[in-house]
């Protein structure tokens, strides 16, 4: 009798599990991605977002399409077009799509929307994926300071206690990145100097290269680029002028071997895939959804092969301290750092 009851219990558990998967095998979910004018293969935000959509097509059986806006006014137009076309989920990326996605959400309450990298609350049909990018930047700052401090490391740097950051637009999401880098660098070396500046433009590697070369002329041999595909100019400058760069939002190590220290990544692909999967399960995550080191929404790429093992180990310890709350990383640029502008 007990054995029969066990079998019945097991069958009930299997049935419950199968029922939980039913949404995945119904009519294909239609997902539309609205992109800005940058390329889908920009080795940065756009590419990661698109990768998440493609992964969902392959693994979850959804129907996904992407459209690239030619101008700002196209954001709302493209979202409206998707909603009128019966799309279940519409995705937008970045601060410049905030108002468009809010307007579309009000106009089409039956359509769900995902806004990536901008905090938006109060809409039952908007999920806002935000990232604790200060955490991953703290690791990048600590790594850079550790490498700068060790005179024995055979890399193209002067070990002079000067680092720098090339930002893109002066917006909150970029400043959060910067805040973490400043804090991580000072955590290792309280006397380190960190120059920083903004290109003020998108999609212009020439401007990124010019700012990087200017910072390099002032002593910086490790430059953190936070400028999207404008930052590709920083990577190019590192090879030309023989210094190190830290890239962001995709693994750019292969572009200039031996001149990239590491890459920090906000995994937009994880946010896209996760939101699609939850929507399929009729569990759309409205409101703020935080991605951080603890839940795998951030990562740091492999370190330059010349970085000693002890630094890799120390970085792992720092990461665990952040996850455990032993190191708390602020989201605001420290007062001392504001005076080291370039």
């Amino acid at each position: 009798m007990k054995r029969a009851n066990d079998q019945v219990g097991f069958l009930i558990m299997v049935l419950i599990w199968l029922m939980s998967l039913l949404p995945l095998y119904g009519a294909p979910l239609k997902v539309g991605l609205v992109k800005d004018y940058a390329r889908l293969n920009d080795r940065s935000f756009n590419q990661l977002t698109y990768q998440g959509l493609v992964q969902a097509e392959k693994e979850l059986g959804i129907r996904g399409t992407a459209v690239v806006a030619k101008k700002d006014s196209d954001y709302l137009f493209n979202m409206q077009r998707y909603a009128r076309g019966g799309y279940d989920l519409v995705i937008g990326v970045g601060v410049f799509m905030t108002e468009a996605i809010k307007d579309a959400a009000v106009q089409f309450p039956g359509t769900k929307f995902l806004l990536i990298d901008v905090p938006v609350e109060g809409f039952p049909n908007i999920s806002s994926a935000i990232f604790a990018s200060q955490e991953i930047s703290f690791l990048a700052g600590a790594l850079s300071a550790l490498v700068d401090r060790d005179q024995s490391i055979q890399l193209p740097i002067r070990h002079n206690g000067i680092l720098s950051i090339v930002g893109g637009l002066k917006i909150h999401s970029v400043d959060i990145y910067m805040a973490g880098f400043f804090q991580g660098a000072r955590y290792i070396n309280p006397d380190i100097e960190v120059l920083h500046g903004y290109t003020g433009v998108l999609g212009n590697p020439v401007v990124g290269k010019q700012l990087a070369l200017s910072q390099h002329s002032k002593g910086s041999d490790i430059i953190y680029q936070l400028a999207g595909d404008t930052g590709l100019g920083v990577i190019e400058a590192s090879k030309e002028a023989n210094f190190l760069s830290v890239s962001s939002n995709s693994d750019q190590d292969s572009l200039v071997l031996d001149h990239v220290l590491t890459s920090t990544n906000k995994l937009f692909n994880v946010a896209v895939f996760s939101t699609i999967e939850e929507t399929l399960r009729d569990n759309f995550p409205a409101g703020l959804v935080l991605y951080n080191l603890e839940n795998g929404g951030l990562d740091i790429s492999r370190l330059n092969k010349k970085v000693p093992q002890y630094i890799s180990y120390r970085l792992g310890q720092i990461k665990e301290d952040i996850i455990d709350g032993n190191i708390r990383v602020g989201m605001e640029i420290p007062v001392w750092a504001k005076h080291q502008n370039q």
Side-chain angles (χ1 to χ4, degrees), residues 12 42 90 104 146 159 176 178 189 194 256 290 299 304 320:
I12 291 174
D42 64 352
V90 178
L146 285 166
H159 302 283
I176 292 174
M178 286 190 175
N189 179 1
V194 185
V256 281
L290 177 65
D299 76 2
N304 187 292
E320 289 304 315

Side-chain angles (χ1 to χ4, degrees), residues 56-122:
E57 286 183 297
K58 292 179 179 177
E59 298 183 17
L60 303 177
I62 61 106
R63 289 176 54 194
T65 61
V67 60
V68 178
K70 295 181 180 179
K71 54 185 183 297
D72 289 357
S73 60
D74 288 343
Y75 298 154
L76 179 58
F77 173 80
N78 288 325
M79 291 175 188
Q80 292 170 329
R81 190 182 71 170
Y82 276 138
R84 292 192 182 102
Y87 277 71
D88 303 284
L89 177 65
V90 178
I91 302 171
V93 183
V95 65
F96 297 113
M97 295 197 193
T98 304
E99 294 308 314
I101 214 164
K102 287 180 180 179
D103 290 345
V106 172
Q107 293 173 23
F108 300 94
T111 302
K112 296 176 175 62
F113 296 86
L114 168 62
L115 181 59
I116 298 178
D117 211 27
V118 183
V120 171
E121 296 181 272

Side-chain angles (χ1 to χ4, degrees), residues 271-286:
V272 169
F273 184 88
S274 176
T275 304
I276 292 173
E277 187 172 43
E278 291 303 301
T279 304
L280 277 168
R281 296 184 183 278
D282 198 26
N283 190 32
F284 178 72

Side-chain angles (χ1 to χ4, degrees), residues 135 293-295 318-327:
E135 294 181 353
L293 286 175
E294 184 175 9
N295 62 22
I318 294 172
K319 177 180 178 179
E320 289 304 315
D321 281 340
I322 293 174
I323 291 173
D324 293 341
N326 298 322
I327 295 177

Side-chain angles (χ1 to χ4, degrees), residues 105-175:
V106 172
Q107 293 173 23
F108 300 94
T111 302
K112 296 176 175 62
F113 296 86
L114 168 62
L115 181 59
I116 298 178
D117 211 27
V118 183
V120 171
E121 296 181 272
F123 294 79
N125 57 338
I126 296 180
S127 179
S128 178
I130 58 175
F131 295 81
S133 48
Q134 72 275 12
E135 294 181 353
I136 197 69
S137 284
F138 189 98
L139 292 180
L143 168 65
S144 300
L146 285 166
V147 170
D148 174 78
R149 188 172 65 180
D150 189 338
Q151 300 280 339
S152 69
I153 298 177
Q154 299 300 308
L155 282 166
I157 57 176
R158 286 166 279 190
H159 302 283
N160 58 2
I162 302 175
L163 311 174
S164 65
I165 308 171
V166 170
L169 302 179
K170 185 170 175 37
I171 55 179
H172 187 55
S173 59
V174 173
D175 283 352

